Short mmCIF file of all heavy atoms in Angstrom, two decimals:
data_model
loop_
_atom_site.label_atom_id
_atom_site.label_comp_id
_atom_site.label_asym_id
_atom_site.label_seq_id
_atom_site.Cartn_x
_atom_site.Cartn_y
_atom_site.Cartn_z
N THR A 1 94.05 -10.32 -24.86
CA THR A 1 92.76 -10.60 -24.33
C THR A 1 92.43 -9.61 -23.25
O THR A 1 93.19 -9.39 -22.27
CB THR A 1 92.77 -12.02 -23.67
OG1 THR A 1 93.08 -13.01 -24.67
CG2 THR A 1 91.39 -12.34 -23.12
N ILE A 2 91.30 -8.97 -23.35
CA ILE A 2 90.82 -8.03 -22.39
C ILE A 2 89.72 -8.73 -21.52
O ILE A 2 88.93 -9.55 -22.02
CB ILE A 2 90.25 -6.76 -23.02
CG1 ILE A 2 89.91 -5.73 -21.95
CG2 ILE A 2 88.98 -7.04 -23.87
CD1 ILE A 2 89.58 -4.37 -22.53
N SER A 3 89.82 -8.48 -20.20
CA SER A 3 88.78 -9.00 -19.30
C SER A 3 88.59 -8.04 -18.14
O SER A 3 89.36 -7.11 -17.94
CB SER A 3 89.22 -10.40 -18.82
OG SER A 3 90.42 -10.29 -18.07
N ARG A 4 87.57 -8.34 -17.38
CA ARG A 4 87.36 -7.48 -16.16
C ARG A 4 86.82 -8.29 -15.00
O ARG A 4 86.16 -9.34 -15.15
CB ARG A 4 86.42 -6.31 -16.51
CG ARG A 4 84.95 -6.68 -16.83
CD ARG A 4 84.13 -5.52 -17.37
NE ARG A 4 84.00 -4.45 -16.42
CZ ARG A 4 83.64 -3.18 -16.73
NH1 ARG A 4 83.40 -2.87 -17.95
NH2 ARG A 4 83.53 -2.20 -15.72
N ASP A 5 87.08 -7.82 -13.85
CA ASP A 5 86.58 -8.33 -12.60
C ASP A 5 85.87 -7.28 -11.83
O ASP A 5 86.48 -6.41 -11.18
CB ASP A 5 87.74 -8.94 -11.76
CG ASP A 5 87.32 -9.61 -10.49
OD1 ASP A 5 86.11 -9.44 -10.08
OD2 ASP A 5 88.07 -10.41 -9.91
N ASN A 6 84.55 -7.21 -11.92
CA ASN A 6 83.80 -6.10 -11.37
C ASN A 6 83.84 -6.10 -9.85
O ASN A 6 83.72 -5.04 -9.25
CB ASN A 6 82.37 -6.07 -11.84
CG ASN A 6 82.26 -5.70 -13.30
OD1 ASN A 6 83.21 -5.20 -13.91
ND2 ASN A 6 81.05 -5.84 -13.86
N SER A 7 84.04 -7.26 -9.23
CA SER A 7 84.13 -7.33 -7.78
C SER A 7 85.41 -6.59 -7.29
O SER A 7 85.42 -6.10 -6.20
CB SER A 7 84.13 -8.85 -7.26
OG SER A 7 85.31 -9.52 -7.58
N ARG A 8 86.45 -6.58 -8.16
CA ARG A 8 87.60 -5.87 -7.75
C ARG A 8 87.83 -4.52 -8.51
O ARG A 8 88.84 -3.88 -8.31
CB ARG A 8 88.90 -6.78 -8.14
CG ARG A 8 88.93 -8.09 -7.33
CD ARG A 8 90.14 -8.93 -7.72
NE ARG A 8 90.22 -10.13 -6.96
CZ ARG A 8 90.78 -10.22 -5.81
NH1 ARG A 8 91.37 -9.24 -5.20
NH2 ARG A 8 90.79 -11.47 -5.15
N LYS A 9 86.80 -4.16 -9.30
CA LYS A 9 86.84 -2.96 -10.07
C LYS A 9 88.15 -2.83 -10.91
O LYS A 9 88.78 -1.77 -10.98
CB LYS A 9 86.64 -1.75 -9.17
CG LYS A 9 85.27 -1.61 -8.58
CD LYS A 9 85.12 -0.36 -7.72
CE LYS A 9 83.66 -0.15 -7.29
NZ LYS A 9 83.09 -1.27 -6.60
N THR A 10 88.48 -3.94 -11.52
CA THR A 10 89.72 -4.08 -12.31
C THR A 10 89.49 -4.56 -13.64
O THR A 10 88.69 -5.55 -13.89
CB THR A 10 90.72 -4.92 -11.53
OG1 THR A 10 90.91 -4.42 -10.23
CG2 THR A 10 92.03 -5.08 -12.31
N VAL A 11 90.20 -4.00 -14.66
CA VAL A 11 90.23 -4.55 -16.00
C VAL A 11 91.66 -4.99 -16.33
O VAL A 11 92.59 -4.37 -15.85
CB VAL A 11 89.71 -3.54 -17.00
CG1 VAL A 11 90.58 -2.29 -17.08
CG2 VAL A 11 89.56 -4.13 -18.41
N TYR A 12 91.73 -6.10 -17.05
CA TYR A 12 93.05 -6.60 -17.42
C TYR A 12 93.25 -6.64 -18.89
O TYR A 12 92.36 -6.66 -19.70
CB TYR A 12 93.18 -8.04 -16.96
CG TYR A 12 92.93 -8.16 -15.45
CD1 TYR A 12 91.65 -8.53 -14.98
CD2 TYR A 12 93.96 -7.97 -14.50
CE1 TYR A 12 91.47 -8.70 -13.59
CE2 TYR A 12 93.74 -8.03 -13.16
CZ TYR A 12 92.48 -8.45 -12.72
OH TYR A 12 92.29 -8.58 -11.31
N LEU A 13 94.52 -6.62 -19.35
CA LEU A 13 94.89 -6.78 -20.72
C LEU A 13 96.03 -7.80 -20.71
O LEU A 13 97.18 -7.48 -20.29
CB LEU A 13 95.35 -5.53 -21.46
CG LEU A 13 95.69 -5.63 -22.87
CD1 LEU A 13 94.39 -5.91 -23.67
CD2 LEU A 13 96.30 -4.35 -23.38
N GLU A 14 95.77 -9.03 -21.17
CA GLU A 14 96.73 -10.09 -21.34
C GLU A 14 97.36 -9.98 -22.66
O GLU A 14 96.62 -10.00 -23.69
CB GLU A 14 96.10 -11.46 -21.12
CG GLU A 14 95.66 -11.77 -19.70
CD GLU A 14 96.81 -12.29 -18.76
OE1 GLU A 14 97.92 -12.36 -19.24
OE2 GLU A 14 96.50 -12.51 -17.58
N MET A 15 98.65 -9.81 -22.77
CA MET A 15 99.28 -9.63 -24.03
C MET A 15 100.30 -10.71 -24.30
O MET A 15 101.18 -11.00 -23.42
CB MET A 15 100.06 -8.25 -24.01
CG MET A 15 99.16 -7.10 -23.74
SD MET A 15 100.06 -5.49 -23.87
CE MET A 15 101.21 -5.67 -22.43
N ASN A 16 100.03 -11.48 -25.33
CA ASN A 16 100.85 -12.56 -25.73
C ASN A 16 101.50 -12.38 -27.04
O ASN A 16 101.11 -11.60 -27.90
CB ASN A 16 100.05 -13.84 -25.74
CG ASN A 16 99.35 -14.16 -24.41
OD1 ASN A 16 99.96 -14.17 -23.44
ND2 ASN A 16 98.01 -14.42 -24.49
N ASN A 17 102.63 -13.12 -27.29
CA ASN A 17 103.28 -13.03 -28.48
C ASN A 17 103.72 -11.60 -28.91
O ASN A 17 103.46 -11.12 -30.02
CB ASN A 17 102.54 -13.71 -29.66
CG ASN A 17 102.23 -15.15 -29.42
OD1 ASN A 17 101.09 -15.59 -29.47
ND2 ASN A 17 103.28 -15.92 -29.22
N LEU A 18 104.16 -10.89 -27.90
CA LEU A 18 104.50 -9.45 -28.07
C LEU A 18 105.48 -9.23 -29.14
O LEU A 18 106.43 -10.03 -29.33
CB LEU A 18 104.91 -8.90 -26.80
CG LEU A 18 103.76 -8.65 -25.73
CD1 LEU A 18 104.34 -8.47 -24.34
CD2 LEU A 18 103.05 -7.42 -26.16
N LYS A 19 105.37 -8.16 -29.87
CA LYS A 19 106.18 -7.73 -30.96
C LYS A 19 106.77 -6.37 -30.61
O LYS A 19 106.16 -5.62 -29.94
CB LYS A 19 105.42 -7.68 -32.33
CG LYS A 19 104.72 -8.96 -32.61
CD LYS A 19 103.88 -8.85 -33.85
CE LYS A 19 103.11 -10.14 -34.22
NZ LYS A 19 102.29 -9.98 -35.38
N PRO A 20 107.97 -6.01 -31.24
CA PRO A 20 108.49 -4.69 -30.99
C PRO A 20 107.49 -3.56 -31.34
O PRO A 20 107.56 -2.50 -30.68
CB PRO A 20 109.71 -4.69 -31.98
CG PRO A 20 110.11 -6.08 -32.02
CD PRO A 20 108.87 -6.88 -32.01
N GLU A 21 106.71 -3.73 -32.38
CA GLU A 21 105.71 -2.74 -32.66
C GLU A 21 104.63 -2.51 -31.67
O GLU A 21 103.82 -1.66 -31.77
CB GLU A 21 105.04 -3.01 -34.06
CG GLU A 21 104.56 -4.39 -34.27
CD GLU A 21 105.49 -5.36 -34.93
OE1 GLU A 21 106.75 -5.32 -34.60
OE2 GLU A 21 105.06 -6.08 -35.82
N ASP A 22 104.56 -3.38 -30.67
CA ASP A 22 103.67 -3.21 -29.55
C ASP A 22 104.13 -2.21 -28.50
O ASP A 22 103.41 -1.87 -27.56
CB ASP A 22 103.37 -4.52 -28.89
CG ASP A 22 102.59 -5.54 -29.71
OD1 ASP A 22 101.70 -5.13 -30.43
OD2 ASP A 22 102.91 -6.72 -29.68
N THR A 23 105.41 -1.83 -28.66
CA THR A 23 106.06 -0.87 -27.77
C THR A 23 105.25 0.45 -27.76
O THR A 23 105.04 1.05 -28.79
CB THR A 23 107.50 -0.62 -28.08
OG1 THR A 23 108.21 -1.81 -27.91
CG2 THR A 23 108.11 0.48 -27.14
N ALA A 24 104.81 0.87 -26.56
CA ALA A 24 103.95 2.09 -26.48
C ALA A 24 103.64 2.33 -25.04
O ALA A 24 103.88 1.53 -24.14
CB ALA A 24 102.67 1.91 -27.30
N VAL A 25 103.10 3.46 -24.74
CA VAL A 25 102.44 3.72 -23.45
C VAL A 25 101.01 3.26 -23.57
O VAL A 25 100.36 3.65 -24.49
CB VAL A 25 102.54 5.25 -23.11
CG1 VAL A 25 101.75 5.48 -21.78
CG2 VAL A 25 104.00 5.71 -22.99
N TYR A 26 100.61 2.46 -22.64
CA TYR A 26 99.25 1.87 -22.70
C TYR A 26 98.44 2.63 -21.71
O TYR A 26 98.80 2.77 -20.50
CB TYR A 26 99.30 0.42 -22.41
CG TYR A 26 99.77 -0.39 -23.59
CD1 TYR A 26 101.05 -0.45 -24.01
CD2 TYR A 26 98.82 -1.24 -24.29
CE1 TYR A 26 101.56 -1.14 -25.11
CE2 TYR A 26 99.28 -1.99 -25.41
CZ TYR A 26 100.56 -1.91 -25.78
OH TYR A 26 100.91 -2.64 -26.88
N TYR A 27 97.23 3.04 -22.08
CA TYR A 27 96.30 3.82 -21.28
C TYR A 27 95.07 3.06 -21.10
O TYR A 27 94.49 2.52 -22.04
CB TYR A 27 95.97 5.18 -21.95
CG TYR A 27 97.17 6.09 -22.12
CD1 TYR A 27 97.90 6.08 -23.27
CD2 TYR A 27 97.55 6.95 -21.07
CE1 TYR A 27 99.09 6.93 -23.43
CE2 TYR A 27 98.67 7.82 -21.19
CZ TYR A 27 99.42 7.77 -22.39
OH TYR A 27 100.46 8.61 -22.54
N CYS A 28 94.56 3.07 -19.88
CA CYS A 28 93.18 2.59 -19.58
C CYS A 28 92.20 3.67 -19.54
O CYS A 28 92.49 4.82 -19.15
CB CYS A 28 93.31 1.86 -18.19
SG CYS A 28 91.71 1.14 -17.60
N ALA A 29 90.98 3.37 -20.06
CA ALA A 29 90.00 4.41 -20.09
C ALA A 29 88.58 3.86 -19.68
O ALA A 29 88.26 2.81 -20.01
CB ALA A 29 89.86 5.01 -21.47
N VAL A 30 87.93 4.71 -18.93
CA VAL A 30 86.50 4.38 -18.57
C VAL A 30 85.73 4.98 -19.71
O VAL A 30 85.87 6.16 -20.12
CB VAL A 30 86.06 4.96 -17.24
CG1 VAL A 30 84.59 4.64 -16.91
CG2 VAL A 30 86.97 4.53 -16.10
N GLU A 31 84.71 4.16 -20.36
CA GLU A 31 84.02 4.60 -21.49
C GLU A 31 82.78 5.48 -21.17
O GLU A 31 81.71 5.19 -21.56
CB GLU A 31 83.57 3.38 -22.26
CG GLU A 31 84.78 2.63 -22.94
CD GLU A 31 85.32 3.37 -24.14
OE1 GLU A 31 85.69 4.59 -24.01
OE2 GLU A 31 85.42 2.82 -25.23
N THR A 32 83.09 6.51 -20.43
CA THR A 32 82.11 7.59 -20.18
C THR A 32 82.29 8.63 -21.35
O THR A 32 83.20 8.52 -22.16
CB THR A 32 82.39 8.26 -18.83
OG1 THR A 32 83.74 8.60 -18.77
CG2 THR A 32 81.97 7.34 -17.72
N THR A 33 81.46 9.60 -21.37
CA THR A 33 81.65 10.69 -22.34
C THR A 33 81.75 12.00 -21.54
O THR A 33 80.77 12.53 -20.94
CB THR A 33 80.36 10.78 -23.25
OG1 THR A 33 80.24 9.52 -23.98
CG2 THR A 33 80.60 11.87 -24.30
N PRO A 34 82.95 12.65 -21.54
CA PRO A 34 84.15 12.16 -22.14
C PRO A 34 84.79 11.05 -21.36
O PRO A 34 84.37 10.73 -20.25
CB PRO A 34 85.03 13.43 -22.11
CG PRO A 34 84.63 14.13 -20.93
CD PRO A 34 83.13 13.92 -20.85
N ARG A 35 85.80 10.38 -21.91
CA ARG A 35 86.46 9.30 -21.21
C ARG A 35 87.28 9.77 -20.08
O ARG A 35 87.72 10.92 -20.04
CB ARG A 35 87.40 8.58 -22.21
CG ARG A 35 86.74 7.74 -23.32
CD ARG A 35 87.80 7.01 -24.09
NE ARG A 35 87.21 6.15 -25.10
CZ ARG A 35 87.04 6.52 -26.39
NH1 ARG A 35 87.52 7.68 -26.87
NH2 ARG A 35 86.44 5.68 -27.28
N TYR A 36 87.40 8.92 -19.08
CA TYR A 36 88.32 9.10 -17.97
C TYR A 36 89.50 8.31 -18.22
O TYR A 36 89.49 7.05 -18.38
CB TYR A 36 87.71 8.64 -16.67
CG TYR A 36 86.74 9.72 -16.11
CD1 TYR A 36 85.43 9.94 -16.59
CD2 TYR A 36 87.16 10.51 -14.97
CE1 TYR A 36 84.61 10.84 -16.04
CE2 TYR A 36 86.29 11.45 -14.44
CZ TYR A 36 84.99 11.61 -14.98
OH TYR A 36 84.11 12.55 -14.38
N TRP A 37 90.70 9.01 -18.24
CA TRP A 37 91.97 8.40 -18.64
C TRP A 37 92.83 8.12 -17.38
O TRP A 37 92.84 8.91 -16.50
CB TRP A 37 92.73 9.16 -19.64
CG TRP A 37 92.05 9.47 -20.98
CD1 TRP A 37 91.30 10.43 -21.31
CD2 TRP A 37 92.09 8.50 -22.03
NE1 TRP A 37 90.83 10.26 -22.60
CE2 TRP A 37 91.38 9.17 -23.09
CE3 TRP A 37 92.74 7.31 -22.29
CZ2 TRP A 37 91.19 8.54 -24.37
CZ3 TRP A 37 92.63 6.74 -23.55
CH2 TRP A 37 91.85 7.36 -24.53
N GLY A 38 93.62 7.03 -17.52
CA GLY A 38 94.73 6.83 -16.55
C GLY A 38 95.95 7.54 -17.05
O GLY A 38 95.98 8.14 -18.09
N GLN A 39 97.05 7.49 -16.21
CA GLN A 39 98.31 8.15 -16.57
C GLN A 39 99.13 7.36 -17.54
O GLN A 39 100.01 7.87 -18.15
CB GLN A 39 99.14 8.36 -15.29
CG GLN A 39 98.56 9.45 -14.37
CD GLN A 39 99.40 9.83 -13.27
OE1 GLN A 39 99.24 9.40 -12.15
NE2 GLN A 39 100.53 10.58 -13.56
N GLY A 40 98.81 6.05 -17.69
CA GLY A 40 99.50 5.23 -18.66
C GLY A 40 100.62 4.44 -17.98
O GLY A 40 101.15 4.77 -16.97
N THR A 41 100.98 3.29 -18.60
CA THR A 41 102.05 2.43 -18.21
C THR A 41 102.88 2.00 -19.48
O THR A 41 102.31 1.67 -20.51
CB THR A 41 101.57 1.24 -17.41
OG1 THR A 41 102.67 0.43 -16.90
CG2 THR A 41 100.67 0.39 -18.32
N GLN A 42 104.22 2.14 -19.34
CA GLN A 42 105.15 1.85 -20.48
C GLN A 42 105.31 0.36 -20.71
O GLN A 42 105.62 -0.42 -19.73
CB GLN A 42 106.44 2.58 -20.23
CG GLN A 42 107.50 2.30 -21.29
CD GLN A 42 107.13 3.00 -22.59
OE1 GLN A 42 106.83 4.17 -22.64
NE2 GLN A 42 107.20 2.28 -23.73
N VAL A 43 105.11 -0.01 -21.91
CA VAL A 43 105.47 -1.36 -22.32
C VAL A 43 106.51 -1.30 -23.44
O VAL A 43 106.25 -0.64 -24.50
CB VAL A 43 104.16 -2.14 -22.95
CG1 VAL A 43 104.57 -3.44 -23.50
CG2 VAL A 43 103.15 -2.29 -21.82
N THR A 44 107.60 -1.95 -23.25
CA THR A 44 108.78 -1.92 -24.18
C THR A 44 109.08 -3.39 -24.54
O THR A 44 109.26 -4.22 -23.69
CB THR A 44 109.98 -1.31 -23.57
OG1 THR A 44 109.64 0.07 -23.22
CG2 THR A 44 111.10 -1.28 -24.63
#
């Protein structure tokens, strides 16, 4: 589930029932053109 709190300028990703195939580096992006990318956070 993705959600956002504009008062905190924060977007969230709630991940449930995680599977091994979800293992990856997760990147957040602002949907400008071109996108603005974060550095990523590892999920294992």
Side-chain angles (χ1 to χ4, degrees):
T1 302
I2 188 170
S3 62
R4 68 190 296 164
D5 183 344
N6 286 352
S7 69
R8 297 181 180 272
K9 293 181 168 58
T10 302
V11 62
Y12 304 95
L13 185 68
E14 292 277 358
M15 304 184 293
N16 300 310
N17 301 122
L18 283 162
K19 304 175 181 180
E21 51 263 44
D22 295 319
T23 295
V25 177
Y26 283 71
Y27 297 91
C28 179
V30 182
E31 292 285 54
T32 51
T33 303
R35 291 187 177 95
Y36 279 75
W37 296 96
Q39 289 187 258
T41 185
Q42 176 71 46
V43 172
T44 302

